[in-house]
Amino acid sequence: MDLSPQTSNDISFDDFKKQILEDYKIAVLSRTCSLMGRKEVLTGKAKFGIFGDGKELPQLAMARSFKNGDFRSGYYRDQTFMMALDLLKPKDLFHALYATTDIEKEPMSAGRQMVGHFLTYSLNEDGSWRDLTQQKNSSADISCTAGQMPRLLGLAQASKIYRNLKNIDASKFSKNGNEVAWGTIGNASTSEGMFLETVNAGGVLQVPMVISIWDDDYGISVPPEYHATKEDISEMLSGFQRSDDQEGYEMFKVKGWDYTALMHTYENASDIAREEHVPVVIHVTELTQPQGHSSSGSHERYKSQERLQWEKEHDCNKKFREWILETGITTEEELKSIEKSISKEVRSAKKEAWAEYLAPHKTLKKTLTNLLDKVAAKSQNKSFITKLKNDLIAIEEPIKKELAVSARKAFRFLLGEDFQEKKELLEWTNTFLADTQPMYSKNLYSERPNRATNIPEVKPVYPENPEKVDGRIIIRDNFDKLFEKYPNTLIFGEDTGAIGDVNQGLEGLQKKYGKMRVADTGIRETSIIGQGTGMALRGLRPIAEIQYLDYIFYALATLTDDVACLRYRTFGKQKVPLIVRTRGHRLEGIWHSGSPMGALIHSLRGMYILSPRNMTQAAGFYNTLLKSDEPALVVESLNGYRLKEDRPTNLGELCTPIGVVETIKEGRDITLVSYGSTLRIVAQAVDELKEVGIDAEIIDAQTLLPFDIRHDTLKSVKKTNRLLVIDEDVPGGCSAYILSEILEIQGAYQFLDSAPQTLSAKAHRPAYGTDGDYFSKPNAEDVFERVYAIMHESDPENFPQLR
């Protein structure tokens, strides 16, 4: 199918007719898939269905202007677009409905996401980048219907970077920055802050993105008066319209059932964005949603009869069909023939997908029932096991869960029995569970040889008499080395550029490397992360700076919904090597001294979370991350920039290992685990504990995700037999997570002579001032007294009660 943007003025009537009928076939194909897909949910074969019916025509227009190298950042209504580009087959859609775990059959996520979440593959089998300029690209969708907007900004900004920075190897990623990022969003979701923040940032940056707003009036059941001021997103955004003397957006408004107007609008939008690097908004109105929002409810409950009738009359496929007949392009008979053929094609695809989904399950079921039959014949509990077997036989269309339940329950009736058939069942069950679990769990982190936890440590090298410098100098000079070494690395954030960040860790680097590589942004954390996400998806190595750790919550939705789970939800077919730089822990006041590490750890599984105690360790983490290709959050110690450190001679080369703890002081009586700024408090207390005869060992966790993959903390506990974890998160936060890792994962509980404990900050946010800090967070006296109390409990004679 020729997808170049052509109109009736460009080609002969025969070619024009062919193009129109090809588009009509795709529109009917997509609609038929939607209708049959909903029925599969209602019959119970699928859990949930959400489809693109009612949006077919504008997506056909978008597909015709979409070129190799372009990127889509859309949402779950875009199935017609994907079909038009031959990136989605009907059978693929049904495999997604059934949650098939075979990536070859369900190429969008191997069953990890519901139907309607689309992507293309950015990586080769070995994890290296494909040539993205030779294919049409779709970033991986998420369900949150404005969540695709921040990423869109970065996908578009990458084109600007590639057009203007000539020393980057762009061979696989860009052809002179001519690529457009195409975003789609429903009209109701334009009320989200993510959308408005992204639109503002896109206008400021002047990047080549085209935002299509599919407007069917409703947001599930909520009509337009609740969504947009003046009930019209075009009017609401009119202030962004560019003029002769002011930059801004080019804006279009077009009816979603007007085929020729849609084609011309998208051609114009593509040309403007691609050639001028001007962002564009296309407000597509008068669309419909024939089946309602999703399979979870009926739109007849909230739409009036007048509205429902209007939707029937203005259905874009119906209007397209009428236009084809009115213009004499073809006959009623030919259209009916097309429709009949497509209906047969989709029914066949549905049937084949369901058969392919069930086939391995049926094979496994047959094997398992045979094993249960053999076991029952030998067991004292034959009747119970036979019932399990018969119940399984009665399930004509088994799923993996039912196989697992039957196999595992059988062992309850085999307690105390020992015979060969039981061993065979045990081997089958263990193999089945071991083979099946990764289908739902693998690729949370990279599984490639260059994964970050495999990057070897390179220790800092010091001269005989090292120079003492502020920590900020170390981090600054290390970034300088990295920008020299990696031309595709860039950093951006609030106050990052001109003043070299609020702590001068980038001092002078904008002047040296330019405003594109060391850039200032507005105060807009969500779109800062979005910039980094999109650029990382296009082969750049962005470092997105969030000024203070407490402000990261403004970007947390994008980090957790998009960045952290991208590798997982794409089954390893896309990667987003974004580094997020921030600073936190001790300072003063509620929003400048937070340490919400527990919240981040549990929100950002799929990213590395690193909390270096000083700037040398931080520098090493950045160096390690840039040798790998995984996302990470680096939390520098806010009160460490002015503290003196020995200056290494191998800045840019030293590598702090990820997932490895460091013992910074050995001891025999108790193991103290902490991280970041709190380590200085711990070290002070340990010096004071020496005076009363307590010799404590200090372990720097350094890496919170993952924590201590070598189990070095266990080795320490085996020696000291006592454990205290100290941090400045809230009770039950990061210290509780670390304790769980040491006790449950490493098994240290069996070597403890005293109850393991945590010492955290108070449950409230930290108060302002030096006294506020002292009474809100663990201090040296707290550490001293808690350790002393542990020692008193075990040896009250040598350590009498303190107070």
Side-chain angles (χ1 to χ4, degrees):
M1 178 178 176
D2 180 10
L3 291 170
S4 58
Q6 296 173 321
T7 69
S8 56
N9 294 325
D10 304 317
I11 53 179
S12 68
F13 177 78
D14 287 342
D15 287 339
F16 180 59
K17 175 181 176 179
K18 181 180 178 182
Q19 174 180 305
I20 298 301
L21 293 183
E22 285 294 330
D23 281 350
Y24 185 70
K25 288 176 185 177
I26 295 296
V28 173
L29 179 70
S30 180
R31 178 66 62 86
T32 306
C33 284
S34 296
L35 296 172
M36 290 191 184
R38 181 181 174 86
K39 289 180 180 178
E40 290 301 274
V41 179
L42 298 179
T43 60
K45 288 182 179 179
K47 296 284 286 186
F48 180 79
I50 196 158
F51 305 99
D53 46 302
K55 316 295 187 293
E56 290 89 353
L57 248 61
Q59 292 180 32
L60 289 168
M62 186 170 84
R64 287 200 172 275
S65 292
F66 198 92
K67 297 181 180 296
N68 282 347
D70 286 359
F71 258 89
R72 166 190 167 272
S73 184
Y75 76 125
Y76 47 69
R77 299 294 185 201
D78 293 346
Q79 73 189 43
T80 306
F81 172 81
M82 296 296 288
M83 289 178 169
L85 295 181
D86 202 25
L87 299 173
L88 177 72
K89 303 289 188 183
K91 196 193 291 189
D92 300 339
L93 182 143
F94 287 104
H95 272 299
L97 263 178
Y98 307 141
T100 301
T101 53
D102 184 341
I103 190 66
E104 299 298 324
K105 293 182 172 61
E106 202 284 85
M108 296 299 153
S109 74
R112 293 183 177 184
Q113 296 210 92
M114 64 182 65
V115 69
H117 294 71
F118 309 116
L119 74 144
T120 54
Y121 297 175
S122 298
L123 307 179
N124 296 308
E125 285 300 315
D126 63 358
S128 61
W129 289 104
R130 290 186 176 190
D131 187 344
L132 303 184
T133 69
Q134 297 302 309
Q135 64 181 45
K136 295 175 174 66
N137 303 286
S138 174
S139 58
D141 293 344
I142 58 179
S143 285
C144 313
T145 57
Q148 69 275 22
M149 289 291 107
R151 177 205 321 147
L152 173 69
L153 179 67
L155 290 169
Q157 188 180 4
S159 289
K160 187 167 187 172
I161 297 296
Y162 283 124
R163 178 170 289 186
N164 288 279
L165 296 182
K166 301 303 182 184
N167 61 334
I168 300 176
D169 180 5
S171 56
K172 292 184 176 182
F173 306 108
S174 180
K175 293 186 176 179
N176 195 37
N178 291 332
E179 302 77 26
V180 172
W182 301 79
T184 65
I185 189 169
N187 57 296
S189 296
T190 62
S191 302
E192 291 277 7
M194 287 181 173
F195 171 80
L196 296 168
E197 185 175 320
T198 299
V199 168
N200 180 59
V204 170
L205 292 170
Q206 287 293 286
V207 291
M209 65 186 191
V210 178
I211 300 174
S212 295
I213 302 170
W214 308 144
D215 191 343
D216 58 22
D217 264 7
Y218 286 82
I220 305 184
S221 66
V222 181
E225 58 262 32
Y226 295 102
H227 295 304
T229 302
K230 301 182 180 180
E231 301 183 26
D232 188 318
I233 191 63
S234 291
E235 288 193 52
M236 186 171 156
L237 296 178
S238 60
F240 288 96
Q241 172 74 54
R242 66 173 177 165
S243 62
D244 291 339
D245 57 351
Q246 282 189 311
E247 292 181 334
Y249 278 75
E250 190 59 57
M251 308 191 90
F252 297 96
K253 193 171 187 177
V254 59
K255 289 179 173 59
W257 48 262
D258 189 335
Y259 179 78
T260 55
L262 285 163
M263 288 294 172
H264 286 293
T265 297
Y266 275 89
E267 288 175 20
N268 290 339
S270 176
D271 290 344
I272 290 167
R274 199 177 306 279
E275 296 168 12
E276 302 178 46
H277 274 198
V278 169
V280 181
V281 169
I282 304 176
H283 183 192
V284 184
T285 64
E286 297 193 16
L287 288 170
T288 66
Q289 205 147 275
Q291 299 187 112
H293 172 75
S294 68
S295 60
S296 63
S298 169
H299 62 158
E300 284 86 356
R301 291 182 300 161
Y302 53 84
K303 289 179 182 175
S304 67
Q305 287 302 312
E306 292 77 14
R307 174 67 192 191
L308 292 170
Q309 183 60 37
W310 182 91
E311 290 197 4
K312 287 181 181 179
E313 293 171 358
H314 288 79
D315 183 299
C316 64
N317 281 16
K318 179 177 182 291
K319 299 283 275 186
F320 190 24
R321 192 182 196 280
E322 291 171 353
W323 176 80
I324 290 172
L325 294 174
E326 288 170 2
T327 53
I329 290 172
T330 192
T331 64
E332 174 76 20
E333 290 71 22
E334 185 171 3
L335 292 185
K336 284 184 176 179
S337 175
I338 289 171
E339 291 156 4
K340 183 177 180 181
S341 174
I342 288 172
S343 180
K344 182 179 179 181
E345 176 188 346
V346 175
R347 281 198 304 273
S348 177
K350 174 173 68 74
K351 184 178 179 181
E352 289 176 16
W354 183 242
E356 290 172 1
Y357 167 75
L358 285 177
H361 300 175
K362 288 184 174 180
T363 301
L364 290 165
K365 171 188 166 182
K366 183 177 180 180
T367 302
L368 178 56
T369 53
N370 287 337
L371 287 169
L372 290 173
D373 192 49
K374 291 178 182 178
V375 167
K378 290 286 187 75
S379 175
Q380 299 174 19
N381 292 310
K382 178 179 179 179
S383 60
F384 296 103
I385 299 172
T386 299
K387 184 179 185 306
L388 275 178
K389 180 197 74 172
N390 290 339
D391 288 346
L392 181 59
I393 290 172
I395 302 172
E396 294 184 6
E397 298 176 337
I399 61 175
K400 296 185 185 75
K401 174 190 172 182
E402 290 158 340
L403 297 169
V405 168
S406 299
R408 296 171 79 175
K409 280 189 174 181
F411 291 100
R412 302 176 190 180
F413 304 113
L414 294 169
L415 291 172
E417 298 186 351
D418 185 17
F419 47 85
Q420 180 60 34
E421 288 78 4
K422 176 183 175 181
K423 293 176 182 177
E424 291 174 5
L425 177 63
L426 179 62
E427 181 181 354
W428 183 93
T429 303
N430 290 341
T431 300
F432 171 68
L433 294 174
D435 290 345
T436 303
Q437 186 62 55
M439 297 177 183
Y440 303 94
S441 301
K442 69 183 297 185
N443 287 305
L444 181 60
Y445 292 89
S446 173
E447 298 172 9
R448 304 292 178 186
N450 74 324
R451 61 183 178 269
T453 51
N454 277 4
I455 304 301
E457 179 180 13
V458 178
K459 292 184 178 296
V461 176
Y462 298 100
E464 186 174 344
N465 295 303
E467 178 188 6
K468 291 278 188 181
V469 297
D470 288 349
R472 73 172 189 87
I473 300 297
I474 288 176
I475 202 77
R476 180 199 68 186
D477 291 355
N478 191 78
F479 276 130
D480 188 13
K481 296 287 186 182
L482 291 181
F483 293 146
E484 285 182 0
K485 187 175 183 179
Y486 300 104
N488 62 342
T489 298
L490 56 157
I491 191 167
F492 46 91
E494 300 160 17
D495 298 307
T496 296
I499 69 169
D501 87 38
V502 290
N503 296 102
Q504 299 289 280
L506 297 166
E507 179 190 23
L509 296 186
Q510 185 182 80
K511 185 175 181 181
K512 182 173 182 179
Y513 294 101
K515 291 183 178 180
M516 281 202 163
R517 292 193 65 192
V518 184
D520 284 310
T521 70
I523 300 175
R524 44 177 179 79
E525 286 80 9
T526 294
S527 55
I528 289 171
I529 297 301
Q531 288 177 247
T533 304
M535 287 193 281
L537 285 166
R538 291 192 59 192
L540 295 167
R541 293 306 308 266
I543 303 172
E545 183 168 316
I546 301 298
Q547 191 171 84
Y548 293 111
L549 179 61
D550 300 88
Y551 303 159
I552 203 165
F553 288 104
Y554 287 86
L556 188 59
T558 300
L559 286 170
T560 186
D561 290 338
D562 205 355
V563 177
C565 67
L566 181 126
R567 190 183 291 265
Y568 169 79
R569 73 179 190 271
T570 67
F571 206 74
K573 301 302 182 182
Q574 291 185 356
K575 62 184 177 183
V576 55
L578 167 66
I579 300 172
V580 181
R581 179 195 184 208
T582 189
R583 48 194 69 81
H585 311 312
R586 301 253 170 186
L587 192 62
E588 305 288 352
I590 293 176
W591 288 285
H592 294 84
S593 56
S595 185
M597 305 311 295
L600 296 175
I601 284 165
H602 298 304
S603 299
L604 301 180
R605 301 290 176 131
M607 293 182 71
Y608 295 116
I609 298 183
L610 315 175
S611 189
R613 66 181 181 272
N614 58 37
M615 298 306 147
T616 302
Q617 299 298 102
F621 276 137
Y622 290 117
N623 300 343
T624 299
L625 290 168
L626 284 169
K627 289 185 177 182
S628 184
D629 59 3
E630 296 170 87
L633 169 65
V634 182
V635 184
E636 298 168 12
S637 293
L638 188 51
N639 59 2
Y641 295 104
R642 300 293 175 180
L643 296 180
K644 299 296 183 183
E645 297 182 33
D646 291 340
R647 179 188 172 90
T649 58
N650 61 336
L651 290 175
E653 301 297 332
L654 65 97
C655 289
T656 308
I658 290 176
V660 179
V661 301
E662 182 179 353
T663 301
I664 58 177
K665 180 200 170 295
E666 294 192 355
R668 66 177 183 275
D669 293 327
I670 187 170
T671 299
L672 306 181
V673 181
S674 191
Y675 59 89
S677 297
T678 308
L679 275 163
R680 286 189 282 277
I681 303 293
V682 173
Q684 177 187 339
V686 165
D687 286 342
E688 295 169 358
L689 286 163
K690 285 182 186 177
E691 298 172 5
V692 294
I694 299 173
D695 184 17
E697 183 151 302
I698 306 175
I699 290 180
D700 179 5
Q702 298 191 114
T703 303
L704 304 180
L705 272 183
F707 172 77
D708 191 10
I709 59 178
R710 298 179 185 174
H711 293 191
D712 290 327
T713 309
L714 174 61
K715 299 169 188 174
S716 175
V717 172
K718 284 181 178 180
K719 177 176 60 173
T720 67
N721 309 118
R722 295 176 185 86
L723 173 65
L724 175 63
V725 182
I726 310 106
D727 81 336
E728 53 184 281
D729 198 356
V730 295
C734 187
S735 57
Y737 154 77
I738 292 173
L739 187 64
S740 172
E741 288 280 316
I742 298 169
L743 297 184
E744 295 184 37
I745 305 301
Q746 299 187 16
Y749 65 92
Q750 59 187 312
F751 301 103
L752 290 168
D753 294 337
S754 300
Q757 297 187 34
T758 63
L759 175 60
S760 67
K762 300 299 184 287
H764 53 74
R765 303 290 286 270
Y768 174 64
T770 300
D771 285 345
D773 177 79
Y774 185 86
F775 289 100
S776 297
K777 293 190 172 186
N779 53 63
E781 288 69 43
D782 290 333
V783 177
F784 182 99
E785 291 176 4
R786 182 66 68 87
V787 172
Y788 189 90
I790 293 171
M791 299 304 297
H792 163 73
E793 180 187 36
S794 62
D795 188 358
E797 183 176 340
N798 286 317
F799 302 102
Q801 187 164 336
L802 187 63
R803 67 177 179 89

